[in-house]
Amino acid sequence: MNLERIPNEEKLSLCRRYYLGGFAFLPFLWLVNVLWFFREAFLKPTYTEQLQIKSYVKKSALGLIVWVAVLTTWITIFQHFRAQWGEVGDYLSFTIPLGTA
Amino acid sequence: MCVSSAAGVCSSSVEQKIYVELNETVPCVRLLNATHQIGCQSSMSGDTGVLHVLETQSDLDWILSSGPHPPYMVIMETAFFNRSVMMRMKNSSRVSGVAVIVSKTGLAQNFSPHTTCPNQNTGVYGSELANCNVTVWNPLGNGLSYEDFSFPVFALKDENQTQVIRKCYEDHNQRVNGSAPHYPLCAMQLFSHMHAVTDTVTCMRRTDLQNRFSINPEVLCDPLSDFNVWTSTRPLNSSAKGHAANESVVIAAARLDGRSFFWEQAPAAEGTVSGIITLLAAIQALYPVTQEAPPPRNIFFTFFQGEAFDYIGSSKMVYDMEKNDFVIDLKNVHSILEIGQVGLHSGRSLWMHSDPVSRKNDSVNEAVSEMMNRMESAAAGLSVSVGHPSFSQPLPPSSLQRFLRAGPIPGLVLADHQKSFSNRYYESMYDDAENLNVTYPPGLTPDEQLVYETDAAKSLAEVATLVARSLYLQAGGENNSLSNITADPKTVAQLLYGFLVQKNNSWFRSLLLSAGPGPPQFYIGLGPRIHGPVHSVTRFVQYILANLTGTVTNLTESQCQNPSELSTENKDLFSYFWVSGPASVNSTGEPFCVRASVRLSEAVSPAFELLEYGSRNYSTWTESRWKSIRARIFLVASRELEVMQTKTQQNC
């Protein structure tokens, strides 16, 4: 969708919907929000709704960073310790590689 | 070459120009038990290395430290296949695989890859007597079979193929005047990726998870299993399980299996075949006398499969007896005589090993002493003599130990060694006909070799006569019938030929269709669950027993398959075998039906029935599964192209 053609109130409501949607364990919505509305929020000349759009984009970015940190930590721990966890590791896995621990 | 590997097209003619597939290879595979994994593993897409032949000490230094093209694929001469060299290879990162040349030239005086104290954790002894504190049974053992290698180890048995590899090495990889060879170099790639890891508990758990949750379930490992073979002088009703009324039984036992470092290679001549043949010949000698003048007690002959792997067969039989799931139970057992390794006594005496712990009980001690006296009196007229080792020495590794775990039963193990094994090649690929001194004069046809009585045949026949007479006396038979019990050296010679030299001989062919050439291998394998009909050695023993003790009937083939329809035949007491018949020059044999009281009983460790995969009491050995095992050699032009060449698979 081309944001140029949309009136500002619709831009605000779109940004808000993506921001609220991300709370349903959907961090990709926050990623999209940040990438899509970055130019609108920070690089365009000021308009009325821009302040709220800016706040939504900042909050989405914050949520995104938290998610990336948590996922990276968990993935690192899991990949490193899965073999040592034995039974628990196997029950947590979807596919277990053949021939290696 | 670049075009074919980049496009991934099945251009087999180009591939054939690059790779030479090695067809006659024998891998080492991964086995797991409750706590460990042993054997060898390769990477999923094979392990590659530049070839180097290990013939001298300087070759070893070249491979391990000074050679400029690591990792190396080592072609190991026989003399270097020992523990110290293999351990150095294991700890080095410059070795990507080993191919061992299997030959008699350069073979050391002794080589046993088994442990020094076989089956120490699943015998009957606790900590004081278990760890070979009194006698080390296999002092020449280097434990290689029980190490875990992270690179593939293959055996090269075919001389022509080894020549091809050597030629490639000499043309391209040989050092000239001490300087390093240049690319292009000859390289070898070995594939033996094993699916199972860690131990049996993990592997069975992952198999269960796969079966429950995966769309495409993969089995990772299979328990080692096969069948025990048993028969008796008076037929036992196989449908009546539990305690058999009015039956007092003397058990005569031998083991049926062996192993070595490599997969499915186990000639096991002294370790296993000597015992099997002795017991088979004793059964043949006893049979007519027990029909004419039956002794008061029944004699139960059994061959246990899987004894090399923590007593699979005997633990299963004892377990069934305890659960009242077998034709007899432990209260029916009067005494046990086990035939251990008896092939190397040649002039010296045989030894009757007994268990000191159960002999602390007076009644058991008396029964064992009586058994020894009977054996000594049976040996009186023969050229073998028997003695007994010191009282405090425990039993050698034997199936009798599993029976003693269930309760004190008087028993003896007959062996040709007083203390440690006389077998210098215990559980190795070199425990073959030559180890038992079974050699034939040159110029004999296969049929002549089949019936030629070597010295080994005569000496084993003496042992078989001793065993048969002792069993007759032990079963309560009369002394005056003893002279009629003699083992036939011709049968022993035929058995030696069939079990040690060539299983595709005219006698075996008349009993059943046999598999390919060469001697049979005694590794237990995965049994009928995976491989279809019963393992060939179990089949041979079953049909030979039917041939030696059965009666010919004139049933037709369909009647032979379903004898329950006839009132004169009893399927509970006997088994019926459809046998090919002896072939002659003009015709293939006329098949006929044989009735014998020979049966099979399952030999799977009770741990797999009880689902206790981490059991300390029962065998938990499993064999890993794999997708493909193969080897190939090719030339590499440079390091970068080596990577690309190893990734080219045969997708045709």
Side-chain angles (χ1 to χ4, degrees), chain A:
Chain A
M1 186 188 294
N2 194 348
L3 280 179
E4 309 284 331
R5 310 264 179 83
I6 306 180
N8 288 343
E9 304 83 37
E10 273 193 49
K11 278 188 221 173
L12 177 60
S13 98
L14 205 58
C15 192
R16 185 194 296 127
R17 263 187 270 148
Y18 269 73
Y19 168 67
L20 292 175
F23 280 106
F25 294 92
L26 299 169
F28 271 98
L29 287 184
W30 283 337
L31 175 67
V32 168
N33 213 11
V34 166
L35 293 177
W36 204 14
F37 283 96
F38 189 78
R39 180 172 286 182
E40 286 293 322
F42 296 105
L43 300 178
K44 282 267 167 69
T46 327
Y47 53 90
T48 27
E49 290 84 359
Q50 198 194 40
L51 200 56
Q52 280 187 296
I53 291 181
K54 213 188 275 198
S55 97
Y56 283 139
V57 170
K58 280 192 223 169
K59 285 190 256 188
S60 298
L62 181 64
L64 182 67
I65 290 172
V66 167
W67 263 95
V68 167
V70 167
L71 277 179
T72 312
T73 316
W74 166 246
I75 290 172
T76 316
I77 293 178
F78 184 73
Q79 293 291 6
H80 200 251
F81 289 111
R82 177 189 59 82
Q84 295 160 19
W85 286 345
E87 198 171 347
V88 176
D90 285 347
Y91 284 128
L92 283 175
S93 305
F94 183 69
T95 48
I96 306 173
L98 297 175
T100 51

Side-chain angles (χ1 to χ4, degrees), chain B residues 39-335:
Chain B
C40 319
Q41 167 75 305
S42 83
S43 327
M44 196 175 283
S45 52
D47 279 307
T48 320
V50 171
L51 277 182
H52 197 84
V53 175
L54 176 51
E55 290 168 307
T56 61
Q57 188 60 34
S58 65
D59 286 321
L60 191 56
D61 296 324
W62 180 263
I63 292 168
L64 292 176
S65 43
S66 48
H69 306 115
Y72 282 99
M73 185 64 67
V74 181
I75 308 291
M76 194 181 272
E77 291 276 345
T78 317
F80 279 88
F81 188 44
N82 54 39
R83 188 177 176 86
S84 61
V85 171
M86 286 302 283
M87 283 300 157
R88 287 178 74 180
M89 302 264 155
K90 180 179 171 179
N91 293 331
S92 159
S93 58
R94 291 167 53 105
V95 174
S96 63
V98 173
V100 181
I101 298 177
V102 176
S103 79
K104 292 294 175 87
T105 55
L107 178 60
Q109 271 294 90
N110 54 69
F111 178 74
S112 170
H114 210 75
T115 50
T116 49
C117 203
N119 289 345
Q120 62 190 62
N121 296 320
T122 38
V124 68
Y125 297 114
S127 47
E128 325 86 48
L129 292 174
N131 301 325
C132 290
N133 287 336
V134 177
T135 312
V136 179
W137 296 111
N138 187 27
L140 305 168
N142 56 30
L144 270 182
S145 292
Y146 289 82
E147 290 289 332
D148 182 30
F149 293 100
S150 56
F151 51 77
V153 180
F154 277 50
L156 303 171
K157 289 180 76 175
D158 182 15
E159 187 53 46
N160 296 334
Q161 191 172 266
T162 313
Q163 256 328 96
V164 169
I165 299 175
R166 269 196 208 273
K167 182 139 189 333
C168 188
Y169 169 74
E170 277 156 19
D171 289 343
H172 300 104
N173 291 24
Q174 199 136 41
R175 280 184 277 165
V176 179
N177 296 337
S179 67
H182 301 294
Y183 280 105
L185 295 172
C186 199
M188 183 152 86
Q189 189 173 20
L190 297 179
F191 298 80
S192 68
H193 180 71
M194 301 287 133
H195 290 177
V197 261
T198 323
D199 53 36
T200 298
V201 180
T202 307
C203 164
M204 298 305 271
R205 178 181 68 228
R206 288 185 185 180
T207 307
D208 285 339
L209 281 175
Q210 290 263 355
N211 283 334
R212 261 187 280 160
F213 295 122
S214 173
I215 309 165
N216 205 7
E218 290 239 20
V219 177
L220 298 178
C221 58
D222 304 290
L224 294 176
S225 75
D226 197 60
F227 288 93
N228 299 323
V229 185
W230 62 265
T231 180
S232 53
T233 48
R234 287 203 298 264
L236 292 164
N237 188 346
S238 69
S239 55
K241 311 273 185 196
H243 186 78
N246 301 332
E247 282 278 0
S248 174
V249 162
V250 176
I251 297 184
R255 61 182 284 200
L256 256 187
D257 74 320
R259 68 164 305 200
S260 76
F261 184 79
F262 296 101
W263 181 59
E264 292 228 318
Q265 301 298 308
E270 155 72 347
T272 303
V273 174
S274 61
I276 298 177
I277 292 183
T278 307
L279 195 54
L280 283 174
I283 295 173
Q284 185 197 34
L286 263 177
Y287 210 72
V289 182
T290 52
Q291 303 305 307
E292 279 174 22
R297 295 190 193 98
N298 203 348
I299 311 178
F300 180 88
F301 304 96
T302 171
F303 296 84
F304 291 119
Q305 183 70 277
E307 300 301 274
F309 291 103
D310 287 334
Y311 308 121
I312 297 178
S314 52
S315 65
K316 174 75 165 113
M317 188 174 276
V318 174
Y319 177 75
D320 283 343
M321 286 184 181
E322 284 175 326
K323 264 188 350 162
N324 290 332
D325 203 12
F326 196 63
V327 292
I328 52 176
D329 78 350
L330 290 162
K331 291 193 278 293
N332 285 120
V333 177
H334 171 264
S335 51

Side-chain angles (χ1 to χ4, degrees), chain B residues 289-602:
Chain B
V289 182
T290 52
Q291 303 305 307
E292 279 174 22
R297 295 190 193 98
N298 203 348
I299 311 178
F300 180 88
F301 304 96
T302 171
F303 296 84
F304 291 119
Q305 183 70 277
E307 300 301 274
F309 291 103
D310 287 334
Y311 308 121
I312 297 178
S314 52
S315 65
K316 174 75 165 113
M317 188 174 276
V318 174
Y319 177 75
D320 283 343
M321 286 184 181
E322 284 175 326
K323 264 188 350 162
N324 290 332
D325 203 12
F326 196 63
V327 292
I328 52 176
D329 78 350
L330 290 162
K331 291 193 278 293
N332 285 120
V333 177
H334 171 264
S335 51
I336 303 180
L337 173 66
E338 181 173 342
I339 322 290
Q341 305 180 64
V342 292
L344 291 177
H345 75 280
S346 61
R348 300 187 295 266
S349 62
L350 290 170
W351 300 94
M352 304 178 283
H353 296 260
S354 61
D355 170 42
V357 174
S358 64
R359 285 179 78 178
K360 289 186 190 148
N361 177 330
D362 283 331
S363 59
V364 174
N365 192 23
E366 219 180 283
V368 172
S369 309
E370 262 180 42
M371 213 167 156
M372 288 202 208
N373 289 337
R374 289 192 186 117
M375 207 153 206
E376 278 163 10
S377 76
L382 301 172
S383 60
V384 283
S385 58
V386 286
H388 52 92
S390 72
F391 183 89
S392 55
Q393 183 173 267
L395 283 174
S398 51
S399 317
L400 176 58
Q401 292 201 22
R402 292 302 302 198
F403 282 87
L404 287 171
R405 269 174 92 118
I409 302 177
L412 289 178
V413 177
L414 189 67
D416 58 17
H417 53 91
Q418 183 185 9
K419 294 209 176 107
S420 319
F421 294 158
S422 317
N423 190 356
R424 291 171 297 132
Y425 298 106
Y426 183 63
E427 309 282 36
S428 82
M429 275 182 305
Y430 302 107
D431 188 8
D432 53 10
E434 225 178 286
N435 193 25
L436 270 187
N437 293 327
V438 171
T439 48
Y440 297 92
L444 292 181
T445 66
D447 280 331
E448 285 167 1
Q449 280 181 334
L450 177 64
V451 294
Y452 181 78
E453 290 176 23
T454 53
D455 290 334
K458 294 183 189 136
S459 105
L460 275 182
E462 289 278 304
V463 180
T465 309
L466 167 67
V467 167
R469 290 184 183 179
S470 316
L471 284 172
Y472 189 70
L473 288 177
Q474 186 68 12
E478 297 296 315
N479 242 325
N480 46 12
S481 312
L482 272 191
S483 51
N484 295 336
I485 302 176
T486 325
D488 182 9
K490 179 154 169 287
T491 312
V492 175
Q494 284 181 311
L495 286 170
L496 274 175
Y497 184 73
F499 279 125
L500 291 181
V501 180
Q502 175 69 265
K503 59 190 191 291
N504 191 8
N505 58 63
S506 52
W507 185 34
F508 283 14
R509 272 200 301 273
S510 73
L511 298 176
L512 68 151
L513 293 172
S514 51
Q521 300 297 331
F522 291 80
Y523 175 65
I524 175 176
L526 300 176
R529 275 206 261 167
I530 314 293
H531 285 151
V534 175
H535 186 238
S536 62
V537 165
T538 317
R539 266 256 180 266
F540 286 148
V541 171
Q542 185 191 20
Y543 275 71
I544 290 170
L545 274 176
N547 183 255
L548 296 176
T549 63
T551 42
V552 179
T553 64
N554 46 11
L555 299 176
T556 63
E557 186 172 357
S558 57
Q559 286 173 329
C560 207
Q561 321 279 25
N562 292 323
S564 41
E565 296 161 12
L566 296 163
S567 57
T568 49
E569 307 298 340
N570 189 339
K571 204 158 173 225
D572 288 335
L573 291 179
F574 300 102
S575 309
Y576 294 84
F577 300 91
W578 187 247
V579 162
S580 316
S584 62
V585 178
N586 298 337
S587 62
T588 57
E590 300 241 341
F592 54 92
C593 189
V594 174
R595 174 183 63 212
S597 58
V598 176
R599 296 215 180 258
L600 297 177
S601 86
E602 220 186 349

